[in-house]
Structure formats: C-alpha cells, structure tokens
Amino acid sequence: MTFTSLLFEDWKLILNPETYHSTSLITAIMITAILGTAAAFFIQTSSQKSTSPTRVAIILTMEPVFAAITSYIWIDERLTLLASIGCIFILIGMVIAELPNNLKLKIFMKKTNKKSAF
C-alpha cells in the first residue's frame, strides 16, 4: 500500500517539511487521535459495563450504519444501492436479534405452518 501511494500521490508535497507544520494537518491529526480514537474508545469501553454482551455485539455491528448516517448528514454522501441494501440487512438483523424468543418462535411458526413442540 505504501508503494502504491508513492506512485499515485504527489510525493514531493508529502515530503515537504511545510506540510508537516501546517495548522490544518495538525488539527486533523488531533481530532482523529483524540476524538476519533481515544474518546470513542473510552466511551465505548465505559458503556459496555452497563449492558449485556449481546447488545454490545449488536451495537458494534451497527457501526457501518451509524457511519453511513453520519456521513450523509455531515458531508451529504450518498450510498450506492448495494451499500443501502447492506445497511437494511444489518438493521433487520439487529431487530430480529432484539426480539424476544417467544415472538421469534411465533413468527417462524406462522411462516412454516408447523406446530411447536414447546
């Protein structure tokens, strides 16, 4: 990946010392390092203490959906059809995982027209 970036990027600009001391680069690194990594990790680990492992897994699975919604709101990014379908599948999976077991059983039995042994 480094080799490819050196081929396709303006490496003279990247190796210019003025680039390293620009305010916009330092601001971007600080936001990414502090808010995007350290703060997010701290909030995530402290919040995991107060919920079940299943819900933590579901919330972490929803990360691409949250990223898509955030990028749509902040930078007006549009999803492709395939990405939209993926988000819908993730949302459906989350809803099914959160349904109570007896409701899941009723829905499944209604679709298969079988009688439950329970």
Side-chain angles (χ1 to χ4, degrees), residues 54-110:
T54 305
R55 288 210 173 148
V56 169
I58 290 169
I59 292 168
L60 293 179
T61 303
M62 290 289 296
E63 184 177 356
V65 176
F66 293 140
I69 293 168
T70 303
S71 65
Y72 175 77
I73 292 170
W74 280 7
I75 60 175
D76 201 30
E77 185 175 344
R78 303 286 186 230
L79 290 177
T80 63
L81 178 64
L82 193 59
S84 299
I85 292 170
C87 283
I88 290 169
F89 280 142
I90 291 172
L91 284 169
I92 290 170
M94 183 194 73
V95 169
I96 290 172
E98 284 296 309
L99 288 175
N101 285 335
N102 58 354
L103 185 58
K104 286 184 213 177
L105 186 61
K106 286 179 185 177
I107 292 171
F108 179 72
M109 290 301 143
K110 190 182 289 185

